[in-house]
Amino acid sequence: MTSEFMVPTTSPAAEAAPSKGRRVRGIRRALAPIAEARGLPKWVLFIGIGIVLVFVVFAIFAPWISPYKFDQYLTTSGQRFPKSGAPSGSHWFGTNIMSTDVFSHIVYGARTALEVIVIAVVISLFVGVPLGLFSGYYGGPLDRMLVLVMDAMFAFPSLLLAILVAFLLRGKFGFLGASFSGIMAAAISITVIYIPQYFRVIRNSVISVRENPYVEAARVLGAKPRTVIAKYVFGNVVQNVPVIGTLNAADALLTLAGLGFLGYGVQPTEAAEWGYDLQRALGEASGGIWWTSVYPGLAIVLLVTGLTLVGESLNDLINPTLRRRQLLPIDRAEMAGEDEVVAGR
Amino acid sequence: MARSSGSLPRYLLTRLLLVIPMVWILLTVVFILMRVAPGDPVQAALGGRQPQSVINEKRHELGFDKPIIVQYGHYINGVLHGDFGQVTSENRSVGNVITHEGMATLELSVCAMLIALVLGLSIGVIIARFRDTPLDVAGRMFGILTYAAPVFWVGILFQLLFVAKLQWLPSSGQADTLQDLDLAQHAHTNIYLVDAIINGSWSDFTNVLQHLILPSLTLGLLICGVFIRLVRVNVIQTLKDDYIEAARARGISESRVVLRHGFRNALVPVVTVVGLQAALLLSGAVLTETTFSWPGIGRALINYLNQRDYVAVQGIVTVFALIVVGVSLLIDVVTALIDPRVRYS
Amino acid sequence: MKAQWRAGVAVGAVLLLGAAACGGSSSGGGGSKSGGGSSSSSQSIVWGTTDKPVSYDPAGAYDLPSWNVIYNVYQGLLRIDPATEKPVPDAATGCTSNKDFTVWTCTLKPNQKFSNGDPLTSADVKFSFDRTLKINDPSGPSSLLAKVKTTAPDPTTVVFHLASGNSLWPQILATGAGAIVDSKVFPATKKLADNQIVGSGPYMLKTYQPNQIAQFVPNPNYGGDLQLANSGLVIKYYADENSLKLDIQQGKVDVVYPGLSPTALNQLKGQSGVNQVSGPGGAIRYMVFNLKTMPGANDAQKQAIIHAVDYSVDRDSIATNVYQGTVKPLYTMVASGLAGATDVWKTTYGATPDKAKAAAELQKAGVKTPVNLQIWWTPTHYGALSSDEYTEIKRQLEATGLFKVDLQSTEWEQYTANCLADKCPIYQLGWFPDYPDTDDYVGQFFGTSSFLNDHYSNAQIDSLLKDEQGTTDQAKRTADFVKIQQIAVKDAPVIPIWQGQQIAVTHGTINGISDTLTPDYIFRFWLLGKS
């Protein structure tokens, strides 16, 4: 029915449906809000991007950044790491109950988190968006059926659905190799939750766009449905995706942490995972051992916040009703060569 | 409230009829999910203690190897009669779980929702009024952070602070031993807070309240973030409308404008979102109950899942699905009553 | 709308104010008056545990947490004496059998009553055994009763006709499977709800909130000879050990058993007011090699691989590093403390890893190294530390350079379906006894139709088992047990790893706790007293 945040059905820039020659200018106009916006949204966006980039760097360059492997419990000379040892020179964030280094777990955990999120979001996109597109455009009984199913799944508590699916998929991906099977299972269980979201938003978007005169005009002129969708509809609805994508990524990370906390996520022998680390740290927290729970928790908070900031700012920037633009001086000469009028507000 | 003849009842009827296929889909999905999982109660109980031949024999004696379609029919038939099955790992029915643990979760959820509403609405309105000031940033960051911080991590931090360090509040459970026994002996609704009032026992009431604060605060914080952002966006949206402009032009103070006109209309989507948050509440309740050892139905579900008590899991998930559908129906009806535009869609 | 908002704020404020006002007040526990009943709260024991019972109705219970309650609320014909670990009279004065142990006759004490005043007669005994078999609950103990036929020729005599002779029938009568229920209250074909149970034991159930709290008070109609050291017991069920740990520190519970992980126990050491008491446990953990699917081209090679692993495992390291001293290394497949238990694995393979001997074994049989071992374990059934335990085993085996270990795990359900159906070459298993007799170990593991499903069969062991099961001469049985272990250490495809200690944590001093931490795992409420 309603989504959590207001997403625009169209934006004035794309509404003008530029023809081939104006494609480039259309894209530039779509990005214009970012350049034109002043004040809060821009630097919030950059902070968010900054945070996310730090974790992406952690994830990609984990073997070089992390001082030890995530499951390493011995020094090079064969000495065991201390168990739940306090932060020290050789273990910046201390060690946890498995005698592994906490900082290494943070870094490798970023890799796990991003692997799962990227897989989940990509699969959700590739399933949810086309489904929403075709369902919204063609309508009919198939559309109604899909809406019912998607609504049912959307309404269901997401973590519970993820738990059930993760639980059932355990061990089913063994053919992908030991470390990847858990990640795949977690990713699929998260995917299942988010497909309905993409479906709903895209479908609603398509439904409102398809009533527009230029779309109808194209149809009347005899354009095939595929052309209509690809050329006119898709471009308008797809701008919802980045916002939902980043916000879903944030949510997916929380779901992954929740799964890990309850024990249904990635197993410790496969990869480091922040939620699982928190579960193991739970028992020691009241004994004064804070580093095993504070750091993984902070990592989750930071990355989710970063992704959310990016998503929120994108939303602010793309949603014209929320956008505040500076008043720009109107250049009459430029205006003369334009078909549209760009209005400042 | 003016009703045009026939459109509201027609809408309600359509909505009600839609519930049936949605419920049926959910039930079937639940059944399939549970059947995909391996094992049965006999295997669970005797595996590892008796030879497989004995297990197979017993499984046959008890009818656990009947064909799937027979089991499905049995399940649907049971649900239609309000029989959600017997818990296998315990000596009770799923209905008994609902009336005991379910009430505990209800208590927790309602208090959490109250806290979330109070915090969310008040903060959301304030920062919408003072948009783009540092207060706004702080408020939005607060909203984001409370959502980004995993609810179990926040719970641990609260326990560390309020329980271990300050020793103001208890760490777990619904009540202390004596009060627990007293309320168990004189149970009416099984909602401890309500029962304490009915019994007129002040010590029971305060004890239960003490135990209720941390879990409901933790869960409430998780949800208030959504409300803050939603209220803020909607109030800002509404404040752009012409009649607001007119009110300002009439010389009404900004605060009055925001509160009297902006806030009211922003509340409409909040009602819907409260319903959507029901799903988030259930997910959050599972994690909160695990962290605080709150004897609710989320924790029970995880326990049953861990024990592979599929009949119990199936029964509880069925009830969840029905609750979710029921709440969504209720919200739609309320929204239709409030917002006439909905009925015509 | 605005009014609603105002109301919401008001309610919220009231709640918060109320909470703050009460925030500083003292916690419930001790001191304050309890509700009715003849027990005063300062004399009753509060027992906290994370173990959940399956059923208080004996027909539906085969697990330890349920039996812990059943032992105290019901009587059996016999019970186990904690000092001697032998069956002694409970509701019956004694039981005798015929020569081949197929017919057992027990005589009831006269004039016994249930807690609700109903008389206890042989009809109730027959009813109890018949209904357990009739209900045949998946979680119930009917497999322990093995199709016994019960008759009650007169009100004080019960006769059991066993399908096959079993000299250990008295032991089985003393387990939770032999609990006597009130035939007037319990239905014959289905289980009774937990909060309605009626028994004749030293305690009766007074209040019950499922999975949360259960209150037991002394049974006024108890006709047995046990003395109660307390005036009641409350069980608090916890979902996680964190809250339990905090509560024992604050004195909100008196006893915690079992339910604390080694980490938690370590943290509680040295806390003021908190004591730890330990006793020998009967639970063991071991590794099983499936002779069909394990690596090795012939029998000799398979034996060599098993022996090489025997030489490479470091049990002390597991006990110390993984379990932090809460378990003891186990050197035989029998819990230590039971008759005939001898540390044959220690005498044969040594207590510390010996890489040279391991390599020699493999070389002698012509096994190419490194040997690829696929070892299975399960994260759900045997505790969260199974993961650490098998990671440690993998580290130990690979440290010898002779093995490459691939760890696999899956949920218990799938695990038993897989590993007990020849899909796992090497797997983790555990055992806790039904009754404290060595036969409940060696008989289960080394017999030809053992549930281990390791395809092991040794005719000599089979005949020794038959021998010890057919006699009540303890000396003879002990000698048989020793022989069985001596054969098994060289021959059987199992490797014992550790034996659990029973560890109870108390707040303050609880008398009698160590008396009940015995290898029979029976938690006897009546022995616990506060000083």
Side-chain angles (χ1 to χ4, degrees):
Chain A
M1 272 273 183
T2 13
S3 40
E4 287 181 16
F5 38 82
M6 308 292 282
V7 279
T9 51
T10 59
S11 96
E15 171 103 65
S19 62
K20 228 181 281 182
R22 300 219 158 78
R23 243 340 134 76
V24 174
R25 219 179 286 155
I27 293 180
R28 194 150 45 91
R29 195 157 288 128
L31 288 179
I34 300 181
E36 286 174 12
R38 296 284 178 265
L40 183 57
K42 198 170 173 188
W43 63 263
V44 166
L45 173 66
F46 288 149
I47 289 183
I49 291 181
I51 295 178
V52 174
L53 269 178
V54 167
F55 283 101
V56 168
V57 165
F58 273 5
I60 297 178
F61 299 106
W64 292 276
I65 298 178
S66 163
Y68 309 101
K69 283 203 157 56
F70 74 89
D71 54 357
Q72 184 175 347
Y73 66 103
L74 295 172
T75 63
T76 40
S77 52
Q79 284 274 59
R80 293 183 88 103
F81 288 173
K83 197 179 217 180
S84 302
S88 64
S90 49
H91 298 283
W92 300 335
F93 285 178
T95 59
N96 63 21
I97 194 174
M98 298 245 341
S99 299
T100 54
D101 181 54
V102 174
F103 183 65
S104 309
H105 266 234
I106 302 291
V107 175
Y108 275 97
R111 175 175 272 198
T112 311
L114 281 159
E115 274 173 1
V116 172
I117 293 174
V118 164
I119 296 176
V121 170
V122 163
I123 298 183
S124 314
L125 272 177
F126 275 97
V127 175
V129 169
L131 270 183
L133 263 180
F134 291 114
S135 181
Y137 188 76
Y138 288 112
L142 182 64
D143 172 48
R144 277 201 281 275
M145 180 66 183
L146 267 178
V147 166
L148 262 181
V149 173
M150 291 298 178
D151 270 359
M153 284 170 61
F154 184 73
F156 200 75
S158 54
L159 183 65
L160 295 178
L161 194 54
I163 291 173
L164 288 177
V165 176
F167 170 76
L168 293 168
L169 287 179
R170 275 253 241 159
K172 297 278 195 297
F173 286 103
F175 58 88
L176 286 170
S179 62
F180 215 61
S181 64
I183 290 177
M184 203 59 192
I188 300 278
S189 49
I190 293 172
T191 305
V192 168
I193 308 172
Y194 292 118
I195 290 177
Q197 287 207 19
Y198 288 108
F199 174 84
R200 288 165 57 108
V201 174
I202 297 292
R203 178 183 171 273
N204 290 343
S205 214
V206 167
I207 285 181
S208 58
V209 164
R210 110 186 140 182
E211 305 306 326
N212 276 318
Y214 61 89
V215 174
E216 194 159 337
R219 265 204 299 244
V220 163
L221 286 175
K224 291 210 246 334
R226 214 180 321 138
T227 323
V228 176
I229 293 180
K231 233 178 157 171
Y232 301 111
V233 177
F234 182 68
N236 288 331
V237 306
V238 81
Q239 49 181 270
N240 295 329
V241 169
V243 178
I244 307 176
T246 40
L247 292 172
N248 275 348
D251 219 31
L253 180 55
L254 284 176
T255 309
L256 176 64
L259 283 178
F261 178 74
L262 294 169
Y264 298 111
V266 179
Q267 289 308 301
T269 45
E270 298 165 342
E273 205 265 301
W274 295 327
Y276 181 82
D277 286 349
L278 280 175
Q279 184 207 49
R280 297 309 300 272
L282 195 50
E284 340 180 84
S286 36
I289 299 176
W290 54 271
W291 51 93
T292 47
S293 47
V294 166
Y295 290 120
L298 274 182
I300 298 176
V301 173
L302 279 175
L303 186 50
V304 172
T305 307
L307 287 168
T308 311
L309 286 180
V310 172
E312 284 264 304
S313 309
L314 279 179
N315 188 30
D316 266 0
L317 295 172
I318 294 179
N319 182 347
T321 51
L322 284 182
R323 202 165 47 199
R324 277 202 181 170
R325 287 197 261 189
Q326 267 201 343
L327 290 173
L328 297 173
I330 299 176
D331 184 347
R332 294 202 179 275
E334 200 196 346
M335 233 178 69
E338 300 269 336
D339 289 342
E340 312 87 28
V341 174
V342 176
R345 203 179 169 197
Chain B
M1 236 166 291
R3 290 180 200 184
S4 87
S5 58
S7 82
L8 182 61
R10 195 184 314 140
Y11 175 79
L12 289 179
L13 187 64
T14 324
R15 198 61 195 80
L16 253 168
L17 284 179
L18 275 179
V19 162
I20 298 174
M22 195 187 276
V23 167
W24 179 74
I25 289 175
L26 277 175
L27 290 184
T28 311
V29 168
V30 168
F31 179 81
I32 293 176
L33 280 180
M34 287 300 104
R35 283 302 166 282
V36 170
D40 55 75
V42 184
Q43 185 77 29
L46 295 177
R49 287 198 78 82
Q50 298 285 340
Q52 196 62 29
S53 53
V54 170
I55 297 177
N56 289 338
E57 191 192 319
K58 198 155 188 188
R59 195 190 288 148
H60 180 74
E61 277 171 31
L62 291 167
F64 282 106
D65 53 358
K66 288 220 176 75
I68 280 251
I69 202 73
V70 170
Q71 294 189 32
Y72 182 64
H74 190 69
Y75 164 62
I76 296 288
N77 187 41
V79 172
L80 288 175
H81 287 97
D83 171 18
F84 296 104
Q86 292 288 325
V87 177
T88 331
S89 58
E90 288 167 22
N91 189 7
R92 50 210 281 240
S93 66
V94 174
N96 188 278
V97 176
I98 306 297
T99 50
H100 282 93
E101 274 90 333
M103 291 301 117
T105 303
L106 186 65
E107 190 184 31
L108 176 64
S109 306
V110 168
C111 289
M113 186 57 95
L114 276 176
I115 293 179
L117 277 174
V118 165
L119 278 178
L121 294 181
S122 46
I123 297 181
V125 165
I126 292 173
I127 64 177
R129 159 77 181 87
F130 295 106
R131 184 190 173 178
D132 285 342
T133 62
L135 193 60
D136 182 27
V137 180
R140 290 176 74 183
M141 284 310 298
F142 178 75
I144 292 177
L145 283 175
T146 50
Y147 186 72
V151 66
F152 43 93
W153 189 62
V154 173
I156 298 174
L157 294 180
F158 274 170
Q159 283 187 4
L160 278 177
L161 181 60
F162 291 107
V163 179
K165 260 236 145 91
L166 297 173
Q167 300 195 348
W168 283 355
L169 293 167
S171 73
S172 64
Q174 237 182 331
D176 284 328
T177 314
L178 277 168
Q179 286 77 6
D180 211 346
L181 286 173
D182 192 36
L183 286 164
Q185 274 171 3
H186 308 108
H188 304 278
T189 61
N190 278 323
I191 304 175
Y192 274 18
L193 215 53
V194 172
D195 280 349
I197 297 176
I198 295 178
N199 292 336
S201 163
W202 181 242
S203 83
D204 284 354
F205 184 78
T206 55
N207 192 270
V208 173
L209 201 57
Q210 273 182 307
H211 282 84
L212 193 51
I213 295 177
L214 282 185
S216 44
L217 186 62
T218 310
L219 190 53
L221 277 178
L222 170 71
I223 302 173
C224 83
V226 176
F227 286 135
I228 292 177
R229 280 146 70 200
L230 179 70
V231 167
R232 177 183 173 280
V233 164
N234 284 346
V235 169
I236 289 175
Q237 245 0 64
T238 316
L239 287 180
K240 298 240 182 314
D241 283 340
D242 292 336
Y243 69 91
I244 296 290
E245 192 95 14
R248 284 200 192 109
R250 285 205 298 275
I252 302 180
S253 79
E254 184 67 15
S255 308
R256 199 123 190 261
V257 165
V258 169
L259 268 181
R260 196 115 198 246
H261 299 287
F263 184 60
R264 228 178 193 178
N265 293 299
L267 270 185
V268 171
V270 171
V271 172
T272 320
V273 172
V274 165
L276 286 179
Q277 295 315 304
L280 180 61
L281 252 185
L282 279 174
S283 301
V286 171
L287 295 168
T288 312
E289 288 173 8
T290 309
T291 313
F292 287 98
S293 221
W294 187 263
I297 205 166
R299 190 189 83 172
L301 179 65
I302 297 298
N303 282 343
Y304 294 138
L305 205 50
N306 284 338
Q307 289 168 39
R308 307 297 173 266
D309 191 340
Y310 297 127
V311 181
V313 170
Q314 179 180 279
I316 293 179
V317 170
T318 305
V319 173
F320 275 2
L322 292 175
I323 290 177
V324 156
V325 168
V327 168
S328 132
L329 178 66
L330 188 66
I331 294 301
D332 279 350
V333 166
V334 170
T335 314
L337 285 173
I338 298 178
D339 184 357
R341 292 174 296 176
V342 171
R343 295 177 227 161
Y344 292 101
S345 63
Chain C
M1 295 282 176
K2 208 158 83 170
Q4 287 173 0
W5 180 53
R6 281 209 205 113
V9 171
V11 170
V14 164
L15 281 178
L16 290 171
L17 275 175
C22 318
S25 61
S26 63
S27 62
S32 38
K33 281 222 287 244
S34 70
S38 56
S39 58
S40 72
S41 63
S42 57
Q43 287 268 359
S44 66
I45 311 274
V46 179
W47 172 30
T49 177
T50 53
D51 283 355
K52 299 262 175 303
V54 170
S55 163
Y56 287 172
D57 180 334
Y62 194 6
D63 59 302
L64 211 45
S66 307
W67 278 9
N68 275 338
V69 169
I70 290 173
Y71 283 133
N72 294 286
V73 173
Y74 303 91
Q75 279 180 310
L77 291 170
L78 305 170
R79 63 177 174 86
I80 301 282
D81 177 31
T84 61
E85 297 295 333
K86 292 274 166 290
V88 295
D90 197 8
T93 55
C95 295
T96 56
S97 84
N98 65 356
K99 215 161 123 238
D100 53 354
F101 305 113
T102 49
V103 179
W104 288 84
T105 312
C106 300
T107 317
L108 281 175
K109 289 184 196 156
N111 302 325
Q112 297 191 86
K113 292 209 191 78
F114 287 100
S115 60
N116 59 2
D118 289 344
L120 193 162
T121 65
S122 60
D124 295 298
V125 179
K126 173 174 162 59
F127 179 78
S128 308
F129 282 86
D130 285 348
R131 81 185 274 272
T132 301
L133 290 170
K134 184 83 206 295
I135 295 175
N136 202 11
D137 194 271
S139 316
S142 53
S143 40
L144 211 50
L145 298 180
K147 299 191 177 33
V148 62
K149 289 204 180 33
T150 324
T151 59
D154 65 64
T156 54
T157 313
V158 184
V159 182
F160 298 101
H161 299 267
L162 305 181
S164 58
N166 189 353
S167 66
L168 295 167
W169 183 246
Q171 299 269 9
I172 295 180
L173 285 179
T175 65
I180 306 172
V181 306
D182 187 344
S183 56
K184 295 206 177 68
V185 173
F186 284 70
T189 49
K190 55 185 187 93
K191 289 185 292 192
L192 183 66
D194 283 347
N195 59 348
Q196 295 169 13
I197 57 170
V198 173
S200 56
Y203 290 87
M204 55 184 263
L205 180 65
K206 179 165 177 221
T207 317
Y208 181 61
Q209 189 78 300
N211 267 338
Q212 228 171 300
I213 198 162
Q215 184 186 25
F216 299 91
V217 294
N219 174 2
N221 288 324
Y222 175 60
D225 46 0
L226 294 172
Q227 297 300 319
L228 274 58
N230 54 57
S231 53
L233 184 112
V234 173
I235 306 181
K236 278 191 84 147
Y237 292 110
Y238 286 78
D240 71 293
E241 62 160 19
N242 250 354
S243 347
L244 183 52
K245 194 163 60 92
L246 282 171
D247 277 3
I248 185 80
Q249 282 176 287
Q250 294 173 357
K252 287 193 185 163
V253 303
D254 299 314
V255 177
V256 175
Y257 164 77
L260 287 182
S261 72
T263 329
L265 289 170
N266 248 6
Q267 284 165 2
L268 287 175
K269 270 194 199 137
Q271 296 270 356
S272 71
V274 174
N275 304 321
Q276 287 190 18
V277 186
S278 62
I284 65 174
R285 296 275 189 275
Y286 47 95
M287 268 200 300
V288 181
F289 291 74
N290 187 314
L291 288 173
K292 244 197 195 163
T293 53
M294 67 170 283
N298 51 46
D299 285 346
Q301 286 198 349
K302 295 186 184 189
Q303 286 292 333
I305 292 176
I306 297 174
H307 294 163
V309 176
D310 276 315
Y311 279 118
S312 311
V313 172
D314 183 354
R315 295 172 179 78
D316 282 316
S317 171
I318 295 174
T320 322
N321 291 324
V322 177
Y323 289 96
Q324 310 204 21
T326 55
V327 306
K328 284 197 340 225
L330 182 67
Y331 295 105
T332 179
M333 292 297 285
V334 179
S336 74
L338 291 178
T342 28
D343 287 349
V344 282
W345 259 263
K346 195 187 210 171
T347 47
T348 313
Y349 301 107
T352 46
D354 191 330
K355 180 176 156 184
K357 291 218 181 106
E361 284 275 345
L362 291 174
Q363 207 183 23
K364 205 162 50 159
V367 180
K368 275 216 251 317
T369 59
V371 187
N372 285 322
L373 299 177
Q374 189 189 63
I375 304 185
W376 286 75
W377 58 276
T378 177
T380 42
H381 198 75
Y382 292 124
L385 288 174
S386 300
S387 161
D388 299 352
E389 178 180 340
Y390 277 79
T391 310
E392 175 68 22
I393 290 178
K394 171 182 156 109
R395 291 170 182 173
Q396 289 172 2
L397 293 179
E398 290 185 340
T400 62
L402 301 167
F403 302 101
K404 271 214 83 181
V405 176
D406 169 32
L407 288 179
Q408 293 288 332
S409 73
T410 180
E411 309 305 322
W412 175 244
E413 281 286 339
Q414 190 69 50
Y415 185 75
T416 49
N418 283 354
C419 295
L420 301 173
D422 293 343
K423 292 213 180 84
C424 314
I426 309 170
Y427 45 101
Q428 167 199 33
L429 275 183
W431 179 256
F432 75 84
D434 294 322
Y435 44 84
D437 186 283
T438 315
D439 174 70
D440 198 46
Y441 289 85
V442 295
Q444 297 281 0
F445 303 140
F446 300 130
T448 300
S449 57
S450 150
F451 74 90
L452 294 183
N453 195 51
D454 51 3
H455 302 287
Y456 174 66
S457 177
N458 183 306
Q460 237 187 326
I461 291 187
D462 281 338
S463 85
L464 281 168
L465 283 173
K466 222 159 161 223
D467 194 47
E468 58 89 3
Q469 281 167 3
T471 171
T472 48
D473 177 352
Q474 287 314 317
K476 193 148 178 289
R477 297 182 76 221
T478 306
D480 285 339
F481 291 139
V482 172
K483 279 205 207 94
I484 291 176
Q485 290 167 78
Q486 284 167 339
I487 300 173
V489 69
K490 294 248 171 52
D491 204 45
V494 292
I495 297 185
I497 304 181
W498 55 259
Q499 173 178 351
Q501 295 274 73
Q502 293 184 74
I503 301 186
V505 180
T506 66
H507 186 88
T509 322
I510 303 288
N511 305 320
I513 185 93
S514 40
D515 295 330
T516 192
L517 294 181
T518 47
D520 52 31
Y521 271 113
I522 299 174
F523 198 61
R524 300 169 172 85
F525 295 177
W526 59 87
L527 291 176
L528 306 176
K530 268 200 208 171
S531 42

